[in-house]
Amino acid sequence: MASLSVKPGQRFTVPEWQNNSLLISADAEQQRYNSHHIRQEGRALRNETGNQARWDEHNTRTRLNDRITSVDRWRETLARCLTDIDLEIDALTKVKEAAENALQAKNLCLDVAIECLTFRESRRDIDVVRDPVEEELLKEVKVIEKTKKELQQRVDDAFKQLCLLKEARQQLNCDHRHKLETLELDRQCVSFNVTSGNISFKVNPTRIPDGTTALREWELNSQCNKDRAEAEMSASVDLRGAITLSIAQTNNELDAQRIATEFALRKRIRDMEGALSELRWQEQNTLDEIADMEEEIRQLEENIRKRTLDLKVAHTRLETRTYRPHVELCRDQAQYGLTDEVQQLEGTIRALQQKRTESQDALDALYRQLHRIQTDIGYKTNSLQLDNKCMDTRKKLVIPVEKFEPDVDAVNRTRNLPRNSQLELA
């Protein structure tokens, strides 16, 4: 007869078994609670750090854009200053050349005066007298020598001022070039993002490089460069005015030696040249206005074209909406808006077309006026040439004024045509 086998080992009671199950369930609940708590903290941390990173990147991008705007504003300021200083250097160079030409021209006057004195030394007997002619010739020699010395001083001053202007320009150009490089780097920084292929970890990126300057120092440097350039340009303008005035004064001192009979003819030539200058000024202004008006007409036509395209779009939208089915074909706010838009665009196009017609009429009137001005310039130019031919018939040695008194505008940096009526008598 077979016997019942009993598995050896420890035996647990039913309560113990139940307690063990309860313990396992409680531990599982606790572990799930802990896991859920950690997950919630992780999610909150992810959200917080993600938002913080996005805001930080946004703030950084904003600061970079603000910095780019600031640097670009200074770049534009320095560029304008560079343009102004280039114009000033060119203007001062022309005035310096004018002073040199005037100085060189005085040599001929001096030679003529000395030659006249030498000729008069050949007088004999009672004719060897210190008469008013000799006194005037001796006075002329002194005046010429004095004017030459003054003009030479002005030429030296202009040379020194040109050196200062070029030095200031070099500093401006260096600062402008550095700002261009900075703008390129900062714009490159703005373009970086997480998908850029050239981003990587760097060694000690938060270090402060040698030669780093404070923001105030950076602003002061650019401001100082600009202020110095403006100061040198202001000094150059004053110097050009002084040089032009010196040339005019020296010529005025020599005017006493001119022939009295030339007065009326010279006055006529000056009046003619003034009228020509005024007409040329009117001609240039009219040409500028014609260019502006033509550009305005082009802009009006372009606007008409654009508004026409807008009107086509509005018409198409209205027409398309007419195919809405059944009850959908209602006059909703979009329909009213499109209708108002069409009416507004049609009124706008009519106003633009009217303004284009008015502008074209004004342009035609400007062309008629320009033709009238140019015709008058031709008449006066012919008259001036005739008067200059009369001046050329003089028997005595005369020197064209362009060798003595180049008419340079010290304020507008422009050089007018020489006035052939102002002559120096040998």
Side-chain angles (χ1 to χ4, degrees):
M1 183 175 179
S3 60
L4 180 63
S5 61
V6 179
K7 185 176 181 180
Q10 182 181 3
R11 297 289 181 177
F12 297 96
T13 64
V14 172
E16 289 176 338
W17 175 84
Q18 291 176 343
N19 289 336
N20 181 70
S21 296
L22 292 174
L23 180 62
I24 291 174
S25 296
D27 288 342
E29 289 287 344
Q30 183 64 37
Q31 292 300 326
R32 287 196 300 274
Y33 174 79
N34 293 339
S35 175
H36 176 75
H37 182 69
I38 291 173
R39 282 192 300 106
Q40 293 300 321
E41 290 180 345
R43 180 179 299 173
L45 181 61
R46 283 188 291 107
N47 290 336
E48 181 182 356
T49 55
N51 290 334
Q52 184 64 42
R54 284 190 292 271
W55 273 111
D56 289 345
E57 198 278 337
H58 173 74
N59 291 335
T60 298
R61 187 177 296 274
T62 301
R63 293 188 184 100
L64 281 173
N65 286 327
D66 291 343
R67 181 60 178 168
I68 288 172
T69 301
S70 178
V71 175
D72 190 56
R73 188 180 301 113
W74 267 111
R75 179 198 61 79
E76 292 177 354
T77 300
L78 295 178
R80 289 193 298 269
C81 202
L82 275 172
T83 301
D84 291 340
I85 202 170
D86 285 339
L87 292 173
E88 184 58 37
I89 289 174
D90 181 66
L92 183 58
T93 300
K94 289 180 179 179
V95 172
K96 175 177 171 290
E97 291 175 354
E100 291 172 344
N101 292 336
L103 179 62
Q104 181 66 28
K106 295 299 182 290
N107 291 331
L108 180 58
C109 296
L110 183 61
D111 292 342
V112 170
I114 293 176
E115 184 177 2
C116 291
L117 285 171
T118 303
F119 288 156
R120 291 175 65 81
E121 288 297 323
S122 300
R123 293 175 296 171
R124 296 180 181 179
D125 202 13
I126 193 65
D127 284 343
V128 184
V129 60
R130 192 175 184 93
D131 54 7
V133 175
E134 183 174 349
E135 292 178 355
E136 289 298 328
L137 285 172
L138 292 173
K139 180 181 178 181
E140 183 179 358
V141 170
K142 293 180 180 179
V143 170
I144 294 173
E145 290 177 345
K146 181 175 72 71
T147 56
K148 286 184 62 177
K149 183 178 180 180
E150 182 180 353
L151 286 174
Q152 184 61 55
Q153 181 62 43
R154 294 301 186 185
V155 170
D156 295 340
D157 293 341
F159 176 77
K160 294 177 182 178
Q161 187 61 39
L162 278 173
C163 293
L164 293 174
L165 283 172
K166 291 178 180 179
E167 182 180 354
R169 187 196 182 282
Q170 184 178 2
Q171 291 180 346
L172 277 177
N173 188 51
C174 182
D175 196 3
H176 181 263
R177 186 174 65 253
H178 290 167
K179 282 177 172 53
L180 286 176
E181 296 173 0
T182 299
L183 284 173
E184 182 178 356
L185 293 175
D186 281 347
R187 285 167 179 161
Q188 185 179 1
C189 290
V190 171
S191 67
F192 286 152
N193 55 54
V194 295
T195 62
S196 298
N198 53 347
I199 60 174
S200 63
F201 288 108
K202 308 299 179 183
V203 178
N204 192 16
T206 59
R207 69 188 184 279
I208 299 178
D210 295 337
T212 300
T213 58
L215 179 61
R216 180 59 179 169
E217 184 179 353
W218 172 82
E219 291 178 348
L220 286 176
N221 178 69
S222 297
Q223 187 66 44
C224 288
N225 290 336
K226 177 177 175 291
D227 291 344
R228 182 187 176 187
E230 290 177 347
E232 296 300 342
M233 285 189 289
S234 177
S236 178
V237 170
D238 294 339
L239 180 59
R240 287 193 292 113
I243 292 176
T244 304
L245 182 60
S246 295
I247 296 174
Q249 286 177 345
T250 56
N251 291 334
N252 290 335
E253 292 176 0
L254 293 174
D255 282 344
Q257 310 302 319
R258 294 179 181 180
I259 302 176
T261 54
E262 296 174 352
F263 175 81
L265 185 57
R266 287 188 289 109
K267 183 178 184 300
R268 178 59 180 166
I269 290 177
R270 285 196 300 270
D271 294 339
M272 191 68 67
E273 286 180 342
L276 271 176
S277 177
E278 174 66 20
L279 284 173
R280 291 193 179 101
W281 184 80
Q282 293 291 346
E283 179 188 25
Q284 184 59 48
N285 285 349
T286 304
L287 287 171
D288 293 341
E289 183 61 29
I290 285 174
D292 293 341
M293 183 57 72
E294 289 175 344
E295 178 62 24
E296 178 63 22
I297 291 174
R298 285 192 292 270
Q299 293 293 334
L300 286 171
E301 291 175 348
E302 178 64 19
N303 274 267
I304 291 173
R305 186 186 68 81
K306 290 180 179 179
R307 298 296 79 77
T308 302
L309 293 176
D310 293 339
L311 185 59
K312 289 180 180 179
V313 171
H315 281 190
T316 304
R317 286 172 175 170
L318 282 172
E319 180 64 23
T320 301
R321 286 175 61 84
T322 61
Y323 295 102
R324 290 176 293 169
H326 299 295
V327 73
E328 298 299 328
L329 187 62
C330 66
R331 293 187 60 80
D332 51 11
Q333 293 300 320
Q335 191 75 8
Y336 287 118
L338 283 171
T339 302
D340 293 340
E341 182 183 2
V342 167
Q343 294 173 353
Q344 182 65 32
L345 285 172
E346 288 175 348
T348 299
I349 291 174
R350 286 193 299 270
L352 288 172
Q353 290 173 342
Q354 177 64 27
K355 184 56 64 176
R356 180 183 60 183
T357 301
E358 294 175 1
S359 299
Q360 187 63 49
D361 293 339
L363 180 62
D364 294 339
L366 285 172
Y367 272 116
R368 290 192 297 270
Q369 184 63 28
L370 178 64
H371 179 265
R372 181 181 177 185
I373 291 174
Q374 290 175 340
T375 301
D376 201 23
I377 287 177
Y379 294 156
K380 286 181 171 53
T381 301
N382 181 66
S383 299
L384 182 60
Q385 290 175 349
L386 293 175
D387 287 343
N388 284 327
K389 286 182 180 180
C390 293
M391 187 63 73
D392 292 336
T393 59
R394 306 297 299 178
K395 299 289 182 71
K396 296 184 179 293
L397 175 62
V398 293
I399 304 171
V401 70
E402 56 264 27
K403 294 185 179 180
F404 283 97
E405 187 183 351
D407 189 6
V408 180
D409 190 336
V411 177
N412 298 322
R413 303 192 184 105
T414 58
R415 189 168 186 169
N416 301 327
L417 294 176
R419 295 177 294 180
N420 293 333
S421 62
Q422 299 182 2
L423 307 176
E424 290 291 344
L425 176 61

